[in-house]
Amino acid sequence: MSFDPDQMELPSRPELFDFRGVSMTHFFTDNWENVQNFKARPDDVLIATYPKAGTTWVSYILDLLYFGQTSPERQTSVPIYERVPFLELIVPKFVPGLDQVERLPTSPRLIKTHFPVQFVPKSFWEQNCKIIYVARNAKDNMVSYFHFDSMAMIEPDPGDWNNYFQRFMQGKVVTGSWYDHVNGWWKKKQTSPNVHYMFYEDLVEDTGREIDKLCSFLGLSPSEDERKRITGGVQFDKMKKNNMTNYSTHARMDFKTGSFMRKGRVGDWKNHFTVAQNEEFDEDYKKKMKDPTLQLRTDL
Ligand code: PPS
C-alpha cells in the first residue's frame, strides 16, 4: 500500500455488511464501479484466493518466475504488496489497489484479488487472462484468518476465538463464506481452461512440483538452476525473514499482536479447535461441501 497524503483520515476498524450476498466492508466495495470497469490486458495474471489461503506465497513465486532475473533490484526494494497490488482494496491515506495496478510498470501485471468468482471484473474473462486460484483447507484457513484479523486494523474486530469460529462457519467475515468461495471457483475452473486451481497443502507438500505445474500452465520454462533457486527462496523461513515478503513494512498491521508470516503449516487448527468444535465443524462441513470432486486436506 503506497501512502497518499492527499487522502482522508486513517480508518478505525470497519463494520461488516451484506454486499450482493457476500459479507464485505467498505474497504473492498467503495471502489466497486471502477473496479468492475477495469480494463484487463490479455497478459495480466490474476491471483485469486479466499483471504489467508497462500496469496502472498503464490504472488512471490510468480514475481520471481517473471521478474526474478530481469529486475533483481525489485527483489530488495519493492514489497510484495506493491509488486502485486490488491485490486479491490481502497483504504484512506493509501493509493487504491486499482490505481496501483494501473501504475504498474511491469508486463505482465500480477494482480491480487480476494473476490468470489462472481465479482471478478468481466474484462479478465473477455481478455482470456490467466487466473490462478489458491484454496486452503477451511480449518487452517479459519485459524490463520482469526490471527490476521487481530493484527490487521482494516479488518472488523475478530472478537474471541469461539465467536470467530461461529462467524467463519456462517460466512460473516470479509469476502463471505469460505465454502461458497472455494466451490464457486472450483465450478468455474471446470469450464475455464484459463483458471489454474491450486491447493496450499500441495505447495507445502512439494513446492517444486507445484511450481512446475504453474510453469506449464503459464507457458514458462525456467532453467533448472532458476527453478531450484525459486523453490528454495520461497520457503516459509526465507519469506518470514525477508522484509519484502513478510509485510513488516506495511503500515496497517499491528505487529505487537502477531506476525503476517505466522506458522505456515498444515494442521495448526489442532492447536485451536476443541474436540466439540471439531465435531460441530465437520458436521456443518458435510452439509456445505457436497461436491465429491473438491477435496481439501486438513493434514499431510
Ligand atoms: S492475505 O492477507 O490474504 O494475502 O494472506 P495470504 O498470503 O493469503 O496467507 C497468509 C498465510 O500464508 C502463509 N504463508 C506461507 N506458508 C507456507 N510457506 C510459505 N512460504 C508461506 N508464505 C505465506 C502465512 O504464514 C499465513 O498462514 P498462517 O497459517 O497464518 O501462518
Side-chain angles (χ1 to χ4, degrees):
M1 287 181 144
S2 312
F3 183 68
D4 183 345
D6 294 336
Q7 296 201 24
M8 303 170 291
E9 283 299 288
L10 275 176
S12 53
R13 281 187 180 268
E15 291 296 320
L16 207 60
F17 58 88
D18 181 89
F19 182 79
R20 300 170 187 235
V22 178
S23 293
M24 284 289 195
T25 71
H26 70 99
F27 295 138
F28 303 94
T29 59
D30 279 352
N31 214 11
W32 176 257
E33 291 300 328
N34 294 328
V35 169
Q36 289 306 309
N37 291 326
F38 175 67
K39 291 204 175 6
R41 297 180 193 153
D43 66 345
D44 285 344
V45 178
L46 185 67
I47 301 159
T49 59
Y50 191 77
K52 314 318 292 179
T55 332
T56 313
W57 196 0
V58 171
S59 298
Y60 188 41
I61 292 171
L62 289 189
D63 188 75
L64 288 173
L65 281 169
Y66 281 108
F67 310 116
Q69 301 229 296
T70 50
S71 323
E73 73 291 347
R74 172 183 172 92
Q75 300 305 328
T76 51
S77 59
V78 187
I80 193 67
Y81 50 81
E82 287 181 15
R83 293 182 216 172
V84 185
F86 188 173
L87 183 65
E88 62 268 26
L89 186 66
I90 179 159
V91 176
K93 293 215 174 195
F94 294 94
V95 179
L98 180 66
D99 297 32
Q100 288 189 51
V101 172
E102 274 158 2
R103 290 177 202 175
L104 278 178
T106 55
S107 178
R109 301 183 297 188
L110 306 176
I111 304 168
K112 157 181 169 176
T113 184
H114 286 322
F115 273 160
V117 68
Q118 71 274 20
F119 284 5
V120 170
K122 63 177 183 320
S123 169
F124 283 102
W125 307 111
E126 289 166 354
Q127 296 294 333
N128 286 319
C129 298
K130 295 262 195 276
I131 302 183
I132 292 152
Y133 185 77
V134 194
R136 185 178 191 181
N137 82 78
K139 293 178 181 177
D140 283 326
N141 207 140
M142 184 198 299
V143 169
S144 181
Y145 209 172
F146 171 67
H147 286 287
F148 177 75
D149 282 0
S150 308
M151 63 180 290
M153 295 302 132
I154 60 162
E155 288 286 281
D157 191 334
D160 70 14
W161 166 250
N162 292 331
N163 184 272
Y164 195 83
F165 174 83
Q166 296 297 338
R167 278 186 25 215
F168 183 94
M169 288 198 300
Q170 294 159 9
K172 298 230 165 72
V173 289
V174 173
T175 349
S177 159
W178 175 93
Y179 313 86
D180 292 349
H181 208 284
V182 297
N183 275 305
W185 276 99
W186 182 251
K187 205 161 168 231
K188 184 75 181 176
K189 170 217 141 73
Q190 309 312 320
T191 53
S192 302
N194 286 334
V195 176
H196 179 67
Y197 200 106
M198 311 175 62
F199 297 95
Y200 176 93
E201 294 72 26
D202 291 350
L203 262 171
V204 172
E205 184 177 68
D206 191 339
T207 312
R209 178 191 66 205
E210 296 307 307
I211 291 179
D212 289 346
K213 287 194 212 159
L214 262 175
C215 287
S216 58
F217 172 69
L218 295 167
L220 300 173
S221 35
S223 67
E224 189 48 32
D225 274 2
E226 185 57 5
R227 179 195 175 277
K228 268 200 200 130
R229 211 175 57 81
I230 296 175
T231 307
V234 303
Q235 294 306 313
F236 181 78
D237 292 344
K238 289 268 176 53
M239 282 183 65
K240 189 174 172 74
K241 279 192 214 123
N242 180 345
N243 284 342
M244 295 296 108
T245 57
N246 65 13
Y247 271 72
S248 57
T249 50
H250 198 287
R252 301 308 301 154
M253 307 267 172
D254 179 3
F255 284 93
K256 291 190 291 301
T257 54
S259 70
F260 184 90
M261 299 288 299
R262 197 182 55 90
K263 288 207 177 161
R265 286 202 209 124
V266 181
D268 185 44
W269 61 270
K270 291 174 199 164
N271 298 316
H272 292 76
F273 281 47
T274 63
V275 173
Q277 281 176 336
N278 196 34
E279 281 169 7
E280 182 182 347
F281 182 92
D282 287 347
E283 202 52 43
D284 179 67
Y285 191 86
K286 270 188 242 142
K287 289 183 202 140
K288 290 177 177 152
M289 300 295 285
K290 295 275 190 215
D291 183 345
T293 65
L294 179 56
Q295 298 289 338
L296 291 111
R297 295 187 284 170
T298 53
D299 231 330
L300 285 184

